[in-house]
Amino acid sequence: MSSTESRQLRHTALDALHRELGATMTDFAGWDMPLRYGSERDEHIAVRTKAGLFDLSHMGEITVTGPGAAALLNFALVGNIASVGVGRARYTMICRADGGILDDLIVYRLAETEYMVVANASNAQVVLDALTERAAGFDAEVRDDRDAYALIAVQGPEAPGILKSLTDADLDGLKYYAGLPGTVAGVPALIARTGYTGEDGFELFVKPEHAVELWQALTGAGKDAGLVPCGLSCRDTLRLEAGMPLYGHELSTSLTPFDAGLGRVVKFEKDGDFVGREALAAAAERAGQNPPRVLVGLIAEGRRVPRAGYAVVAGGEVIGEVTSGAPSPTLGKPVAIAYVDAAHAAPGTAGVGVDIRGSHEPYEVVALPFYKRQK
């Protein structure tokens, strides 16, 4: 990479620290991000069995405030955001008028008339532009807060104990998909019980100038509990095992939430119109009668790893396409998420394979997720 290209990448507040830790860095959506610090398999297993520490400061925070904030978000997004209680969060999507998914989001209601929308790094500008455009006529302000936050996640079964040692906040009372303001190691933070790993854990939104201090405090508190720094590579295998969709893989503008098997996020019963309502109603009807392709899990019988874009085959015919694939450290086998024709989507369907460089490798069709933690 030339120095000019390198300069164009954005850096998080933890950039120097990642380099000190020997991280392998990569360009992710225009950000220079840690891919791994050592073995991605070891990082993955640490999150499943102990705890992992992630820098997610590339995510896009957008604040929506004002008396009309709830009404704007109900119009702009497919979910019923007005029904989210203060201190709670909701997974939702923003769609185009034709029903195509622009991004999947988490929306936190911070106060009666204040929300924080968290978009994927690759789509943050698209989401910001769409919300700003859709705000016309609403008594609400849309603010780009991407530079106002660093985001650090601690995920895994030991995460609650590690965080408890650094905060007086009521973590036991903090439900999944809820957030509360507090201090962690003396640093003011929004403490959210959310994550993208399939494990219990927390995401901590703090000012960028506090990020290094917080990371070091968490590292110290987690030392005896097996906490390790984790990169984006293991975050991908963790979310894959948990059956969580990734924008640009399982989700795109050419798919509606119903195509992705996530029609439950679309709330037709909410008050008023919303962008995409008509197209999504038609998509819901199509999905109910004759779904084109269905999102399924595939587990390899052999050792060859499927990748996004590989064809799924049966009886010599192409019946679908892999959207994500990787070796699964938890299962000890390669796994994939794929869209396949409905006729081949039932778990246990025989004769399904993946075309890996001309060889049809046998795969077992399973329901997602591949992994579910014991509560």
Coordinates of all heavy atoms in Angstrom, one line a residue, residues 54-146:
F54 N -12.9 -5.8 21.7 CA -12.9 -5.3 20.3 C -12.9 -3.8 20.2 O -13.6 -3.1 21.0 CB -14.2 -5.8 19.7 CG -14.3 -7.3 19.5 CD1 -14.8 -8.1 20.6 CD2 -14.0 -8.0 18.4 CE1 -15.0 -9.4 20.5 CE2 -14.2 -9.3 18.2 CZ -14.6 -10.1 19.3
D55 N -12.3 -3.2 19.2 CA -12.4 -1.8 18.9 C -13.4 -1.8 17.7 O -13.1 -2.3 16.6 CB -11.1 -1.3 18.4 CG -11.2 0.2 18.0 OD1 -12.2 0.8 18.2 OD2 -10.2 0.7 17.4
L56 N -14.6 -1.2 18.0 CA -15.6 -1.1 16.9 C -15.9 0.4 16.6 O -17.0 0.7 16.2 CB -16.9 -1.8 17.4 CG -16.7 -3.2 17.9 CD1 -18.1 -3.7 18.4 CD2 -16.2 -4.1 16.7
S57 N -14.9 1.2 16.7 CA -15.1 2.7 16.6 C -15.3 3.1 15.1 O -15.6 4.2 14.9 CB -13.8 3.4 17.1 OG -13.6 3.1 18.4
H58 N -15.3 2.1 14.2 CA -15.6 2.4 12.8 C -17.1 2.5 12.6 O -17.6 3.0 11.5 CB -15.0 1.4 11.9 CG -15.4 0.0 12.1 ND1 -15.5 -0.6 13.4 CD2 -15.9 -1.0 11.3 CE1 -15.9 -1.8 13.3 NE2 -16.2 -2.1 12.0
M59 N -17.9 2.0 13.5 CA -19.4 2.0 13.3 C -19.8 3.5 13.3 O -19.2 4.4 13.8 CB -20.0 1.3 14.5 CG -19.6 -0.2 14.6 SD -20.1 -1.2 13.2 CE -21.9 -1.5 13.6
G60 N -21.0 3.7 12.6 CA -21.5 5.1 12.4 C -22.6 5.4 13.3 O -23.7 4.9 13.2
E61 N -22.3 6.4 14.2 CA -23.4 6.9 15.2 C -24.0 8.1 14.6 O -23.4 9.1 14.2 CB -22.8 7.2 16.6 CG -22.2 6.0 17.3 CD -20.8 5.6 16.9 OE1 -20.2 6.4 16.2 OE2 -20.3 4.6 17.4
I62 N -25.4 8.1 14.6 CA -26.2 9.2 14.1 C -27.2 9.5 15.2 O -28.0 8.6 15.6 CB -26.9 8.9 12.8 CG1 -25.8 8.5 11.7 CG2 -27.8 10.0 12.3 CD1 -26.4 7.7 10.5
T63 N -27.2 10.8 15.7 CA -28.2 11.1 16.7 C -29.4 11.8 16.1 O -29.3 12.7 15.2 CB -27.5 12.1 17.7 OG1 -26.3 11.5 18.2 CG2 -28.4 12.4 18.9
V64 N -30.6 11.4 16.5 CA -31.8 12.0 16.1 C -32.5 12.6 17.3 O -32.8 11.8 18.3 CB -32.7 11.0 15.3 CG1 -34.0 11.7 14.9 CG2 -32.0 10.4 14.2
T65 N -32.8 13.9 17.3 CA -33.4 14.5 18.5 C -34.6 15.4 18.1 O -34.7 15.8 16.9 CB -32.3 15.4 19.2 OG1 -31.8 16.4 18.3 CG2 -31.2 14.6 19.8
G66 N -35.4 15.8 19.1 CA -36.5 16.7 18.8 C -37.8 16.1 19.1 O -37.9 14.8 19.2
P67 N -38.8 16.9 19.2 CA -40.2 16.4 19.5 C -40.7 15.4 18.4 O -41.5 14.5 18.7 CB -41.1 17.7 19.5 CG -40.1 18.8 19.7 CD -38.8 18.4 19.1
G68 N -40.2 15.6 17.2 CA -40.7 14.7 16.1 C -39.7 13.5 15.8 O -39.9 12.8 14.8
A69 N -38.8 13.3 16.7 CA -37.7 12.2 16.5 C -38.4 10.8 16.3 O -38.0 10.1 15.4 CB -36.7 12.2 17.6
A70 N -39.3 10.5 17.2 CA -39.9 9.2 17.1 C -40.7 9.0 15.8 O -40.6 8.0 15.1 CB -40.8 8.9 18.3
A71 N -41.4 10.1 15.5 CA -42.3 10.0 14.2 C -41.4 9.9 13.0 O -41.7 9.2 12.1 CB -43.1 11.3 14.2
L72 N -40.3 10.7 13.0 CA -39.3 10.6 11.9 C -38.8 9.2 11.7 O -38.8 8.6 10.6 CB -38.2 11.6 12.1 CG -36.9 11.3 11.2 CD1 -37.2 11.3 9.7 CD2 -35.8 12.3 11.6
L73 N -38.3 8.6 12.8 CA -37.7 7.2 12.7 C -38.8 6.2 12.4 O -38.4 5.2 11.6 CB -37.0 6.9 14.1 CG -35.7 7.7 14.3 CD1 -35.2 7.5 15.7 CD2 -34.7 7.4 13.3
N74 N -40.0 6.4 12.8 CA -41.1 5.4 12.4 C -41.3 5.5 10.9 O -41.6 4.5 10.2 CB -42.4 5.7 13.1 CG -42.6 4.8 14.3 OD1 -41.6 4.1 14.7 ND2 -43.8 4.7 14.8
F75 N -41.2 6.7 10.3 CA -41.4 6.9 8.9 C -40.1 6.4 8.1 O -40.3 5.8 7.0 CB -41.6 8.4 8.6 CG -41.6 8.8 7.1 CD1 -42.6 8.4 6.3 CD2 -40.5 9.5 6.6 CE1 -42.5 8.7 4.9 CE2 -40.4 9.8 5.2 CZ -41.4 9.4 4.4
A76 N -38.9 6.7 8.6 CA -37.7 6.4 7.9 C -37.3 5.0 7.9 O -36.6 4.5 7.0 CB -36.6 7.3 8.4
L77 N -37.6 4.3 9.0 CA -37.2 2.9 9.2 C -38.4 1.9 9.2 O -39.5 2.4 9.3 CB -36.4 2.8 10.6 CG -35.4 3.8 10.9 CD1 -34.8 3.6 12.3 CD2 -34.3 3.8 9.8
V78 N -38.1 0.6 9.1 CA -39.2 -0.3 9.0 C -39.8 -0.7 10.3 O -40.9 -1.3 10.4 CB -38.8 -1.6 8.2 CG1 -38.4 -1.2 6.8 CG2 -37.7 -2.4 8.9
G79 N -39.1 -0.5 11.4 CA -39.5 -0.9 12.8 C -40.4 0.1 13.4 O -40.6 1.2 13.0
N80 N -41.0 -0.3 14.5 CA -41.8 0.6 15.3 C -40.9 1.2 16.4 O -40.9 0.7 17.5 CB -43.0 -0.1 16.0 CG -44.0 0.8 16.6 OD1 -43.7 2.0 16.8 ND2 -45.1 0.3 17.1
I81 N -40.3 2.3 16.1 CA -39.3 2.9 17.0 C -39.9 3.6 18.1 O -39.4 3.8 19.2 CB -38.3 3.7 16.2 CG1 -37.7 3.0 15.0 CG2 -37.2 4.3 17.1 CD1 -37.0 1.7 15.3
A82 N -41.1 4.2 17.8 CA -41.8 4.9 18.8 C -42.2 4.1 20.0 O -42.4 4.6 21.1 CB -43.1 5.5 18.2
S83 N -42.3 2.8 19.9 CA -42.6 1.9 21.0 C -41.4 1.4 21.8 O -41.6 0.7 22.8 CB -43.3 0.6 20.4 OG -42.4 -0.2 19.7
V84 N -40.2 1.9 21.4 CA -39.0 1.5 22.2 C -38.9 2.4 23.4 O -39.0 3.6 23.4 CB -37.7 1.7 21.3 CG1 -36.5 1.4 22.1 CG2 -37.8 0.9 20.1
G85 N -38.8 1.8 24.6 CA -38.8 2.5 25.8 C -37.4 3.2 26.0 O -36.4 2.8 25.4
V86 N -37.4 4.3 26.8 CA -36.1 4.9 27.1 C -35.2 3.9 27.8 O -35.6 3.2 28.7 CB -36.4 6.2 28.0 CG1 -35.0 6.8 28.5 CG2 -37.2 7.2 27.3
G87 N -33.9 3.9 27.3 CA -33.0 2.9 27.9 C -33.0 1.6 27.2 O -32.2 0.7 27.5
R88 N -33.8 1.4 26.2 CA -33.9 0.2 25.4 C -33.3 0.4 24.0 O -33.2 1.5 23.5 CB -35.3 -0.4 25.3 CG -35.9 -0.7 26.7 CD -35.1 -1.6 27.6 NE -34.7 -2.9 27.0 CZ -35.4 -4.1 27.1 NH1 -36.4 -4.1 27.9 NH2 -34.9 -5.2 26.6
A89 N -33.0 -0.7 23.3 CA -32.5 -0.7 21.9 C -33.3 -1.6 21.1 O -34.0 -2.5 21.6 CB -31.0 -1.0 21.9
R90 N -33.3 -1.4 19.8 CA -34.0 -2.3 18.9 C -33.2 -2.5 17.6 O -32.6 -1.6 17.0 CB -35.4 -1.7 18.5 CG -36.2 -2.7 17.6 CD -37.7 -2.4 17.8 NE -38.1 -2.7 19.1 CZ -39.3 -2.3 19.6 NH1 -40.1 -1.6 18.8 NH2 -39.7 -2.6 20.8
Y91 N -33.2 -3.8 17.1 CA -32.6 -4.1 15.8 C -33.6 -3.8 14.8 O -34.8 -4.2 14.9 CB -32.2 -5.6 15.8 CG -31.7 -6.1 14.5 CD1 -30.4 -5.8 14.1 CD2 -32.5 -6.8 13.6 CE1 -29.9 -6.2 12.9 CE2 -32.0 -7.2 12.3 CZ -30.7 -6.9 12.0 OH -30.2 -7.4 10.8
T92 N -33.2 -3.1 13.7 CA -34.2 -2.7 12.7 C -33.4 -2.5 11.3 O -32.2 -2.8 11.2 CB -35.0 -1.4 13.1 OG1 -36.0 -1.2 12.1 CG2 -34.1 -0.2 13.2
M93 N -34.1 -2.1 10.3 CA -33.5 -1.8 9.0 C -34.0 -0.5 8.4 O -35.1 -0.1 8.8 CB -33.8 -3.0 8.1 CG -33.2 -4.3 8.5 SD -33.5 -5.6 7.3 CE -32.8 -7.0 8.1
I94 N -33.3 0.0 7.5 CA -33.7 1.1 6.7 C -33.7 0.6 5.3 O -32.8 0.0 4.8 CB -32.8 2.4 6.9 CG1 -33.3 3.6 6.0 CG2 -31.3 2.0 6.6 CD1 -32.6 4.9 6.4
C95 N -34.9 0.8 4.6 CA -35.1 0.3 3.2 C -35.3 1.4 2.2 O -35.7 2.5 2.6 CB -36.3 -0.7 3.2 SG -35.9 -2.2 4.1
R96 N -35.1 1.1 1.0 CA -35.5 2.0 -0.1 C -37.0 1.9 -0.3 O -37.7 1.1 0.2 CB -34.7 1.6 -1.4 CG -33.2 1.6 -1.2 CD -32.5 1.5 -2.6 NE -33.0 0.4 -3.4 CZ -32.3 0.0 -4.5 NH1 -31.2 0.6 -4.9 NH2 -32.8 -1.0 -5.2
A97 N -37.5 2.8 -1.2 CA -38.9 2.8 -1.5 C -39.3 1.5 -2.2 O -40.4 1.0 -2.0 CB -39.3 4.0 -2.4
D98 N -38.3 0.8 -2.9 CA -38.7 -0.5 -3.5 C -38.5 -1.7 -2.6 O -38.6 -2.8 -3.0 CB -37.8 -0.7 -4.8 CG -36.3 -0.8 -4.5 OD1 -35.9 -0.8 -3.3 OD2 -35.5 -1.0 -5.4
G99 N -38.2 -1.4 -1.3 CA -38.1 -2.5 -0.3 C -36.7 -3.0 -0.1 O -36.4 -3.8 0.8
G100 N -35.7 -2.6 -1.0 CA -34.4 -3.1 -0.9 C -33.7 -2.5 0.4 O -33.9 -1.4 0.8
I101 N -32.9 -3.4 1.0 CA -32.3 -3.0 2.3 C -31.1 -2.1 2.1 O -30.1 -2.4 1.4 CB -31.8 -4.3 3.1 CG1 -33.0 -5.2 3.3 CG2 -31.2 -3.9 4.4 CD1 -32.5 -6.6 3.7
L102 N -31.1 -0.9 2.7 CA -30.0 0.0 2.7 C -29.0 -0.3 3.8 O -27.8 -0.1 3.6 CB -30.5 1.5 2.8 CG -31.1 2.2 1.6 CD1 -31.7 3.5 2.0 CD2 -30.1 2.4 0.5
D103 N -29.5 -0.7 4.9 CA -28.6 -1.1 6.0 C -29.5 -1.8 7.1 O -30.7 -1.5 7.2 CB -27.9 0.1 6.6 CG -26.6 -0.3 7.4 OD1 -26.2 -1.5 7.2 OD2 -26.0 0.5 8.1
D104 N -28.8 -2.6 7.9 CA -29.4 -3.0 9.2 C -28.8 -2.2 10.3 O -27.6 -1.8 10.2 CB -29.4 -4.5 9.4 CG -28.0 -5.1 9.5 OD1 -27.0 -4.5 9.0 OD2 -27.8 -6.1 10.1
L105 N -29.6 -1.9 11.3 CA -29.2 -0.8 12.3 C -29.6 -1.3 13.7 O -30.5 -2.2 13.9 CB -30.0 0.4 12.1 CG -30.1 1.0 10.7 CD1 -31.2 2.0 10.6 CD2 -28.8 1.7 10.3
I106 N -28.9 -0.7 14.7 CA -29.5 -0.7 16.1 C -29.8 0.7 16.5 O -29.0 1.6 16.3 CB -28.5 -1.4 17.1 CG1 -28.2 -2.8 16.7 CG2 -29.0 -1.3 18.5 CD1 -27.2 -3.6 17.6
V107 N -31.0 0.9 17.0 CA -31.5 2.2 17.5 C -31.6 2.1 19.0 O -32.3 1.3 19.5 CB -32.8 2.6 16.8 CG1 -33.2 4.0 17.3 CG2 -32.7 2.6 15.3
Y108 N -30.9 3.1 19.6 CA -31.0 3.2 21.1 C -31.8 4.4 21.4 O -31.6 5.5 20.9 CB -29.6 3.4 21.7 CG -28.6 2.3 21.5 CD1 -27.9 2.2 20.3 CD2 -28.5 1.3 22.5 CE1 -27.0 1.1 20.1 CE2 -27.6 0.2 22.3 CZ -26.8 0.1 21.1 OH -25.9 -0.9 20.9
R109 N -32.8 4.2 22.3 CA -33.6 5.4 22.8 C -32.9 5.9 24.1 O -33.0 5.3 25.1 CB -35.0 5.1 23.1 CG -35.9 6.3 23.3 CD -37.3 6.1 23.3 NE -38.1 7.3 23.2 CZ -39.4 7.3 23.0 NH1 -40.1 6.2 22.8 NH2 -40.1 8.5 22.9
L110 N -32.2 7.1 23.9 CA -31.4 7.6 25.0 C -32.2 8.4 26.0 O -31.9 8.5 27.2 CB -30.2 8.4 24.5 CG -29.3 7.7 23.5 CD1 -28.2 8.7 23.1 CD2 -28.7 6.5 24.1
A111 N -33.2 9.1 25.5 CA -34.1 9.9 26.3 C -35.5 10.0 25.5 O -35.6 9.5 24.5 CB -33.5 11.3 26.5
E112 N -36.4 10.7 26.1 CA -37.7 10.8 25.6 C -37.7 11.3 24.1 O -38.4 10.7 23.3 CB -38.6 11.8 26.4 CG -40.1 11.7 26.1 CD -40.7 10.2 26.4 OE1 -40.3 9.6 27.4 OE2 -41.5 9.8 25.6
T113 N -36.9 12.3 23.8 CA -36.8 12.8 22.4 C -35.4 12.7 21.8 O -35.0 13.5 21.0 CB -37.3 14.2 22.4 OG1 -36.4 15.0 23.2 CG2 -38.7 14.4 22.9
E114 N -34.7 11.7 22.3 CA -33.3 11.5 21.7 C -33.0 10.0 21.4 O -33.2 9.2 22.3 CB -32.3 12.0 22.7 CG -30.8 12.0 22.2 CD -29.8 12.5 23.2 OE1 -30.2 12.8 24.3 OE2 -28.6 12.4 22.8
Y115 N -32.5 9.8 20.2 CA -32.2 8.4 19.8 C -30.8 8.4 19.2 O -30.4 9.4 18.6 CB -33.2 8.0 18.7 CG -34.6 7.8 19.1 CD1 -35.4 8.9 19.2 CD2 -35.1 6.6 19.4 CE1 -36.8 8.8 19.6 CE2 -36.5 6.4 19.8 CZ -37.3 7.6 19.9 OH -38.6 7.4 20.3
M116 N -30.1 7.3 19.3 CA -28.9 7.1 18.6 C -29.1 5.9 17.7 O -29.4 4.8 18.1 CB -27.7 6.8 19.6 CG -26.4 6.6 18.9 SD -25.0 6.6 20.0 CE -25.3 5.1 20.9
V117 N -28.8 6.2 16.4 CA -28.9 5.2 15.3 C -27.5 4.7 15.0 O -26.6 5.5 14.8 CB -29.5 5.7 14.1 CG1 -29.5 4.7 12.9 CG2 -30.9 6.3 14.4
V118 N -27.2 3.4 15.1 CA -25.8 2.9 14.9 C -25.9 2.1 13.5 O -26.6 1.1 13.5 CB -25.3 2.0 16.0 CG1 -23.9 1.6 15.7 CG2 -25.3 2.9 17.3
A119 N -25.2 2.6 12.6 CA -25.1 2.0 11.2 C -23.8 1.3 11.0 O -22.8 1.6 11.7 CB -25.3 3.2 10.2
N120 N -23.8 0.4 10.0 CA -22.5 -0.2 9.7 C -21.6 0.8 9.0 O -22.0 1.7 8.4 CB -22.8 -1.4 8.7 CG -23.4 -2.6 9.3 OD1 -22.9 -3.2 10.2 ND2 -24.7 -2.9 9.0
A121 N -20.3 0.6 9.3 CA -19.3 1.5 8.8 C -19.4 1.8 7.3 O -19.3 2.9 6.8 CB -17.9 1.0 9.1
S122 N -19.6 0.7 6.5 CA -19.7 0.9 5.1 C -20.9 1.6 4.6 O -20.9 2.2 3.5 CB -19.7 -0.5 4.4 OG -20.7 -1.3 4.9
N123 N -21.9 1.7 5.4 CA -23.2 2.4 5.0 C -23.5 3.6 5.8 O -24.6 4.2 5.6 CB -24.4 1.4 5.2 CG -24.3 0.2 4.3 OD1 -23.8 0.3 3.2 ND2 -24.8 -0.9 4.7
A124 N -22.6 4.1 6.7 CA -22.9 5.2 7.6 C -23.3 6.4 6.8 O -24.3 7.1 7.2 CB -21.8 5.5 8.5
Q125 N -22.6 6.8 5.8 CA -22.9 8.0 5.0 C -24.3 7.8 4.3 O -25.1 8.8 4.2 CB -21.8 8.3 4.0 CG -22.0 9.6 3.3 CD -21.8 10.8 4.3 OE1 -20.9 10.8 5.1 NE2 -22.8 11.7 4.3
V126 N -24.5 6.6 3.7 CA -25.8 6.4 3.0 C -27.0 6.5 4.0 O -28.0 7.2 3.7 CB -25.8 4.9 2.5 CG1 -27.2 4.5 2.0 CG2 -24.8 4.8 1.3
V127 N -26.8 6.0 5.2 CA -27.9 6.1 6.2 C -28.1 7.5 6.7 O -29.2 8.0 6.8 CB -27.6 5.2 7.4 CG1 -28.6 5.4 8.6 CG2 -27.5 3.7 7.0
L128 N -27.0 8.2 6.9 CA -27.0 9.6 7.3 C -27.8 10.5 6.2 O -28.7 11.2 6.6 CB -25.6 10.2 7.5 CG -25.5 11.7 7.9 CD1 -26.1 11.9 9.3 CD2 -24.1 12.1 7.8
D129 N -27.4 10.2 5.0 CA -28.0 11.0 3.9 C -29.5 10.7 3.8 O -30.4 11.6 3.6 CB -27.4 10.7 2.5 CG -25.9 11.2 2.5 OD1 -25.6 12.0 3.3 OD2 -25.2 10.8 1.6
A130 N -29.9 9.4 3.9 CA -31.3 9.0 3.8 C -32.1 9.6 5.0 O -33.2 10.1 4.8 CB -31.4 7.5 3.8
L131 N -31.6 9.5 6.2 CA -32.3 10.1 7.4 C -32.5 11.6 7.2 O -33.5 12.1 7.5 CB -31.6 9.7 8.7 CG -31.6 8.3 9.1 CD1 -30.8 8.1 10.4 CD2 -33.1 7.9 9.5
T132 N -31.4 12.3 6.7 CA -31.5 13.7 6.6 C -32.5 14.1 5.5 O -33.4 15.0 5.8 CB -30.1 14.2 6.1 OG1 -29.1 13.8 7.1 CG2 -30.1 15.7 6.0
E133 N -32.6 13.3 4.5 CA -33.6 13.6 3.4 C -35.0 13.3 3.9 O -35.9 14.0 3.7 CB -33.2 12.7 2.2 CG -34.1 12.9 1.0 CD -33.8 11.9 -0.1 OE1 -32.6 11.6 -0.3 OE2 -34.7 11.3 -0.7
R134 N -35.1 12.2 4.7 CA -36.5 11.8 5.1 C -37.0 12.7 6.3 O -38.1 12.6 6.7 CB -36.4 10.3 5.5 CG -36.2 9.4 4.3 CD -36.0 7.9 4.7 NE -35.6 7.2 3.5 CZ -35.5 5.9 3.4 NH1 -35.7 5.1 4.5 NH2 -35.1 5.3 2.3
A135 N -36.1 13.5 6.9 CA -36.4 14.3 8.0 C -37.2 15.5 7.6 O -37.8 16.2 8.5 CB -35.2 14.8 8.8
A136 N -37.3 15.8 6.3 CA -38.1 17.0 5.8 C -39.5 16.9 6.3 O -40.2 15.9 6.1 CB -38.1 17.0 4.3
G137 N -40.0 18.0 6.9 CA -41.3 18.0 7.4 C -41.5 17.5 8.8 O -42.6 17.6 9.4
F138 N -40.5 17.0 9.4 CA -40.5 16.5 10.8 C -39.8 17.5 11.7 O -38.8 18.0 11.4 CB -39.9 15.1 11.0 CG -40.7 14.0 10.3 CD1 -40.4 13.6 9.0 CD2 -41.7 13.3 11.0 CE1 -41.2 12.6 8.4 CE2 -42.4 12.3 10.5 CZ -42.2 11.9 9.2
D139 N -40.3 17.6 12.9 CA -39.7 18.5 13.9 C -38.6 17.7 14.6 O -38.7 17.3 15.8 CB -40.8 19.0 14.9 CG -40.2 20.0 15.9 OD1 -39.0 20.4 15.7 OD2 -40.9 20.4 16.8
A140 N -37.5 17.5 13.9 CA -36.4 16.6 14.4 C -35.1 17.0 13.7 O -35.1 17.5 12.6 CB -36.7 15.2 14.2
E141 N -34.0 16.8 14.4 CA -32.7 17.1 13.9 C -31.9 15.8 13.7 O -31.9 15.0 14.7 CB -32.0 18.1 14.8 CG -30.6 18.5 14.3 CD -29.7 19.0 15.4 OE1 -30.2 19.4 16.5 OE2 -28.4 19.1 15.2
V142 N -31.3 15.6 12.6 CA -30.4 14.5 12.4 C -28.9 15.0 12.4 O -28.6 15.9 11.7 CB -30.7 13.8 11.0 CG1 -29.7 12.7 10.7 CG2 -32.1 13.4 10.9
R143 N -28.2 14.4 13.3 CA -26.8 14.9 13.5 C -25.8 13.7 13.3 O -25.9 12.6 13.8 CB -26.7 15.4 15.0 CG -25.4 16.1 15.3 CD -25.4 16.8 16.7 NE -25.3 15.8 17.8 CZ -26.2 15.8 18.8 NH1 -27.2 16.6 18.8 NH2 -26.1 14.9 19.7
D144 N -24.7 14.1 12.6 CA -23.7 13.1 12.3 C -22.7 13.1 13.5 O -22.0 14.1 13.8 CB -22.9 13.5 11.1 CG -21.7 12.6 10.7 OD1 -21.5 11.6 11.5 OD2 -21.0 12.9 9.7
D145 N -22.8 12.0 14.3 CA -22.0 11.9 15.5 C -20.9 10.9 15.4 O -20.4 10.4 16.4 CB -22.8 11.6 16.8 CG -23.4 12.9 17.4 OD1 -22.8 14.0 17.1 OD2 -24.3 12.8 18.3
R146 N -20.5 10.6 14.2 CA -19.5 9.5 14.0 C -18.1 9.8 14.7 O -17.4 9.0 15.1 CB -19.2 9.3 12.5 CG -20.3 8.5 11.9 CD -20.1 8.3 10.4 NE -20.4 9.6 9.6 CZ -20.3 9.7 8.3 NH1 -19.9 8.7 7.6 NH2 -20.5 10.8 7.7

